[in-house]
Amino acid sequence: MAIAPLKVCIVGSGNWGTVIAKIIGNNVKTLQKFAPTVKMWVFEEVVNGRKLTDIINNDHENVKYLPGHKLPENVVAISSLSEAVQDAGVLVFVTPHQYIHKVCDEISGRVPKEALGITLIKGIDEGPEGLKLISDIIREKTGIDISVLMGANHACEVAAGKFCETTIGSKVRENGLLFKELLQTPSFRITVVEDSDTVELCGALKNIVAMGAGFCDGLRYGDNTKAAIIRLGLMEMISFARIFCKNQVSTATFLESCGVADLITTCFGGRNRRVAEAFVRTNKTLEELEEEMLNGQKLQGPPTSVEVYRILKQKGLVDKFPLFTVIYQICYEGKPVQEMLPCLQNHPEHM
């Protein structure tokens, strides 16, 4: 355990990263365990003729990714990643999962070995043995212990102080409890579990299912069909975790906020569902819709479906995951979106 007061660095400054910065910035003011200044690494952009770091540091608002919400003045935006992580005792990773290799390569050797990390990144990678979790990548490249946070947490609702729950998964329970102390508020309630691989997988896989829910909405199939997609998606999530997690999977983890709650909220709201619905209604590509609808944010469902499909194909398991597979095929292989219905009708769950 690093020696207090722990300096906190948030690696990322998008929508969710900025919300977390707001929570942490307020919390550290009263927690002697943590240093009072919070560094936030910001990928430099020019917004309305000004550098985004200057806007955040002078106006205390991330006008691009979280407009309308003031940040505490102790949150300092830094454009240099290596400078931001310097001397950090606690690192909070919250970037699009496509960039995690580049980020980790840049900070490798610069992060104190006694530091602790937590990832809020929803995605997976493919490794030589199949599944590679984002936490595994960060752990291997930085040499520090990594916890994960996943839950039914639409960023703008959390920023507005609306009540929600979330889940921290930590292989070392005392580290999970430290992050609970750093992040919990009266309206952001945290449960700590040790089944961290399952917590992380839930956060990634639910975005694939949300694409299916969006396709369903675009086709106007109705609530009953959407409920079937959610249930069958959950069954595939559980099966995938049982096959690919190195550690024992607890079914109870799927009943935490990271599991069924996050799946439901993502399938009724969230960017993946919205873009998938528009994909059906507009005949535009996913890339065009991402550009038009997400204000610089990234879709996570489609790239995660690619990783999952590759892993399943490598292990000869494609047929056992028809929903994951058809969503990948619709996103990338030009399969007609209407082909999702036969996939539901003939799902192994119904045989």
Side-chain angles (χ1 to χ4, degrees):
M1 179 72 69
I3 299 167
L6 300 166
K7 294 179 181 176
V8 181
C9 172
I10 299 164
V11 182
S13 57
N15 185 231
W16 191 211
T18 307
V19 175
I20 289 300
K22 181 181 177 184
I23 290 173
I24 292 175
N26 283 322
N27 280 355
V28 297
K29 292 175 185 177
T30 57
L31 295 170
Q32 292 185 337
K33 200 175 286 183
F34 302 96
T37 299
V38 175
K39 293 180 182 177
M40 179 169 70
W41 172 60
V42 174
F43 183 80
E44 192 69 277
E45 300 176 64
V46 176
V47 181
N48 300 325
R50 297 171 66 196
K51 288 182 178 178
L52 187 54
T53 50
D54 290 343
I55 295 171
I56 292 170
N57 289 332
N58 292 309
D59 302 350
H60 308 292
E61 183 181 351
N62 187 336
V63 293
K64 176 155 188 183
Y65 295 107
L66 195 69
H69 292 276
K70 285 292 182 184
L71 284 166
E73 293 187 8
N74 59 329
V75 173
V76 178
I78 296 174
S79 60
S80 163
L81 179 55
S82 56
E83 184 186 335
V85 302
Q86 191 79 32
D87 300 326
V90 171
L91 293 123
V92 181
F93 293 89
V94 57
T95 63
H97 88 262
Q98 299 93 313
Y99 305 140
I100 194 59
H101 283 281
K102 187 173 184 296
V103 165
C104 286
D105 287 342
E106 196 169 328
I107 66 174
S108 179
R110 298 178 185 274
V111 177
K113 290 297 178 195
E114 69 276 11
L116 300 173
I118 189 166
T119 170
L120 284 61
I121 299 168
K122 294 179 174 176
I124 57 173
D125 206 352
E126 183 190 10
E129 297 168 20
L131 177 70
K132 189 89 166 176
L133 295 170
I134 301 299
S135 60
D136 290 335
I137 296 166
I138 302 171
R139 194 177 288 112
E140 287 172 15
K141 287 180 180 279
T142 65
I144 65 174
D145 184 73
I146 299 290
S147 301
V148 301
L149 181 147
M150 306 282 155
N153 310 137
H154 282 326
C156 290
E157 293 181 17
V158 180
K162 295 181 179 178
F163 179 82
C164 68
E165 302 174 311
T166 200
T167 312
I168 286 177
S170 189
K171 296 180 194 300
V172 182
R173 186 166 176 79
E174 67 180 291
N175 294 350
L177 293 172
L178 178 86
F179 282 112
K180 177 175 179 172
E181 190 177 354
L182 178 64
L183 289 160
Q184 184 162 264
T185 74
S187 58
F188 188 62
R189 307 309 288 176
I190 298 172
T191 302
V192 178
V193 301
E194 291 176 28
D195 186 12
S196 63
D197 290 355
T198 305
V199 172
E200 186 170 359
L201 261 186
C202 283
L205 298 177
K206 56 96 186 186
N207 282 327
I208 304 176
V209 185
M211 295 297 294
F215 295 150
C216 176
D217 290 341
L219 293 164
R220 296 183 171 89
Y221 279 167
D223 291 342
N224 295 346
T225 306
K226 191 166 170 179
I229 289 168
I230 293 170
R231 188 190 78 82
L232 293 169
L234 179 62
M235 298 308 291
E236 291 194 12
M237 287 168 62
I238 293 170
S239 298
F240 191 93
R242 285 180 173 157
I243 292 169
F244 291 101
C245 280
K246 299 185 195 80
N247 302 312
Q248 189 168 0
V249 170
S250 169
T251 306
T253 305
F254 292 93
L255 300 178
E256 296 290 349
S257 182
C258 62
V260 68
D262 196 9
L263 180 61
I264 291 167
T265 197
T266 309
C267 287
F268 281 90
R271 68 187 87 156
N272 292 281
R273 190 218 62 80
R274 282 192 295 118
V275 171
E277 180 180 15
F279 177 76
V280 179
R281 301 263 175 95
T282 65
N283 291 318
K284 292 180 179 178
T285 67
L286 290 172
E287 290 80 8
E288 288 170 334
L289 292 167
E290 184 180 63
E291 185 73 27
E292 285 177 21
M293 297 173 67
L294 298 187
N295 187 38
Q297 291 180 280
K298 295 294 181 185
L299 273 180
Q300 298 299 348
T304 304
S305 78
V306 175
E307 303 293 355
V308 165
Y309 182 76
R310 285 179 183 154
I311 291 165
L312 293 174
K313 198 170 182 185
Q314 182 187 334
K315 299 291 186 183
L317 293 169
V318 167
D319 292 345
K320 295 192 184 301
F321 294 85
L323 185 60
F324 286 172
T325 299
V326 78
I327 290 167
Y328 159 76
Q329 291 169 333
I330 292 166
C331 289
Y332 292 101
E333 294 187 350
K335 197 171 191 109
V337 71
Q338 292 82 359
E339 288 294 310
M340 194 169 65
L341 190 58
C343 156
L344 301 175
Q345 292 167 331
N346 302 313
H347 198 280
E349 277 281 304
H350 301 140
M351 297 297 150

